[in-house]
Amino acid sequence: MLVLIKILIAFVMLEHLYILWFEMFAWTSRGPKIFKQLPKELFPPTKALAANQGLYNGFLAAGLAWTFFISDPVWSLRVAAFFLGCVAVAGIYGALTADKKIFFVQALPALIILLLIIFY
């Protein structure tokens, strides 16, 4: 079970590294292709805002990556639970304020892993 939890944590960590890359470095190039409902002229003036969001996603990824270097498994899971809780809150907030699919892409995986940690 611990191996499954660690694999899922790595998945969420990689997802947030991707979001970091996308929002910090590919916002104006790939953003219009992914967010087709938004006008293309919106992306250049919001580049700094997107980069700021990307940086926060990087902090979440860094926190989850940190858990792989903590030798005590109990402490590692507690730190993972904290950062997964942060991911879940951010995903729920994003679903309520921006797009409902954010819940399924970000919050739900974190909530599932949190449940696995609780019942481990």
Side-chain angles (χ1 to χ4, degrees):
M1 179 71 122
L2 183 59
V3 172
L4 174 64
I5 291 170
K6 292 287 188 175
I7 290 170
L8 293 173
I9 289 170
F11 171 76
V12 172
M13 177 196 71
L14 291 172
E15 177 183 26
H16 284 274
L17 283 175
Y18 169 76
I19 295 169
L20 171 144
W21 169 80
F22 173 74
E23 291 178 340
M24 291 190 80
F25 304 109
W27 184 248
T28 55
S29 60
R30 296 189 45 95
K33 296 171 190 154
I34 292 173
F35 296 106
K36 293 177 180 150
Q37 71 276 20
L38 298 175
K40 289 182 182 181
E41 59 273 2
L42 183 68
F43 289 88
T46 60
K47 185 176 180 178
L49 295 172
N52 189 47
Q53 289 175 183
L55 185 62
Y56 284 102
N57 279 284
F59 292 142
L60 294 173
L64 292 172
W66 175 32
T67 66
F68 293 106
F69 298 98
I70 300 172
S71 58
D72 180 351
V74 173
W75 177 241
S76 175
L77 289 178
R78 287 181 180 161
V79 172
F82 170 78
F83 283 99
L84 289 166
C86 293
V87 169
V89 169
I92 291 167
Y93 184 79
L96 292 172
T97 60
D99 189 343
K100 289 182 182 13
K101 73 178 181 180
I102 293 173
F103 176 81
F104 299 102
V105 174
Q106 290 184 357
L108 188 59
L111 292 170
I112 290 169
I113 301 167
L114 281 170
L115 286 174
L116 291 174
I117 290 171
I118 289 168
F119 291 112
Y120 172 66

